[in-house]
């Protein structure tokens, strides 16, 4: 079964997201989190060694998907993957899918024993329902000429 890791600059955010996803999906998917730096993990930042340890802790031959909150979390995650042996590297993927919505979908799909690529694709589509609901953004995407007049 594919495993999931949530990497955030905030340990509290990573922990809360992981807990939320476990509770809402009731999935048996292995989920780890890491974030924050310093002895008590209270400072904002990401640590590649913590991410590497999380990968090793929940590693599955089926794969590991890493969800990142932003910027340097991606860089730290990529560095962590590069520290794995080559056989494991190919089974660990970083996704740009949304942290929460993508994580929920990924947890459900992983529990259904979907393969890593299918899980990532489903996670990337996790905002489609929300996007279709938000009228203003639909108009922005359609480049309507009078959008400012319509919403003023």
């Amino acid at each position: 079964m594919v495993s999931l890791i949530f990497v955030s600059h905030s340990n509290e955010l990573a922990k809360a997201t992981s807990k939320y996803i476990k509770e809402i999906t009731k999935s048996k998917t292995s989920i780890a989190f890491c974030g924050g730096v310093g002895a008590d993990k209270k400072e904002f930042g990401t640590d590649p060694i913590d991410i590497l340890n999380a990968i090793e802790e929940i590693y599955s031959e089926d794969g590991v998907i890493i969800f990142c909150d932003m910027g340097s979390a991606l860089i730290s995650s990529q560095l962590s993957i590069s520290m794995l042996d080559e056989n494991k590297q190919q089974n660990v993927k970083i996704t740009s899918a949304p942290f929460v919505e993508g994580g929920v979908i990924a947890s459900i799909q992983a529990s259904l024993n979907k393969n890593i690529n299918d899980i990532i694709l489903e996670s990337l589509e996790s905002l489609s329902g929300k996007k279709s609901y938000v009228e203003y953004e639909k108009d922005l995407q359609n480049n309507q000429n009078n959008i400012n007049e319509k919403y003023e």
Side-chain angles (χ1 to χ4, degrees):
M1 183 183 301
V2 173
S3 301
L4 311 176
I5 300 175
F6 294 86
V7 178
S8 172
H9 288 73
S10 164
N11 186 270
E12 290 298 316
L13 177 60
K15 181 179 181 179
T17 301
S18 299
K19 181 180 178 188
Y20 173 76
I21 290 170
K22 286 177 184 178
E23 287 178 5
I24 198 168
T25 64
K26 307 274 190 256
S27 165
K28 300 277 190 231
T29 304
S30 293
I31 298 176
F33 68 90
C34 46
V37 294
D40 59 2
K41 303 293 182 201
K42 298 275 186 208
E43 296 174 48
F44 292 119
T46 57
D47 182 341
I49 300 301
D50 287 347
I51 300 167
L52 177 64
N53 290 336
I55 294 169
E56 294 285 7
E57 179 184 325
I58 65 166
Y59 181 80
S60 163
E61 289 293 322
D62 293 329
V64 176
I65 302 172
I66 302 175
F67 289 82
C68 299
D69 66 350
M70 59 186 179
S72 64
L74 296 159
I75 296 166
S76 294
S77 295
Q78 190 61 54
L79 180 58
S80 301
I81 293 169
S82 74
M83 290 187 263
L84 293 167
D85 71 56
E86 287 184 22
N87 293 331
K88 286 185 175 181
Q89 285 181 18
Q90 63 189 2
N91 295 328
V92 181
K93 308 291 183 200
I94 301 169
T95 183
S96 64
F99 206 62
V100 177
E101 292 94 335
V104 169
I105 296 296
S107 179
I108 293 167
Q109 295 298 313
S111 71
L112 297 172
N113 287 315
K114 299 283 180 104
N115 72 54
I116 192 167
N117 292 330
D118 289 343
I119 294 169
I120 290 172
L121 287 172
E122 288 286 332
S123 296
L124 288 169
E125 292 296 319
S126 62
L127 287 181
S128 61
K130 188 185 282 186
K131 284 180 178 180
S132 69
Y133 187 78
V134 181
E135 187 71 30
Y136 180 75
E137 289 177 356
K138 286 192 289 188
D139 291 345
L140 280 175
Q141 290 175 337
N142 292 329
N143 269 335
Q144 289 189 354
N145 293 332
N146 299 323
I147 192 161
N148 289 333
E149 293 173 14
K150 183 176 179 180
Y151 290 100
E152 287 180 344

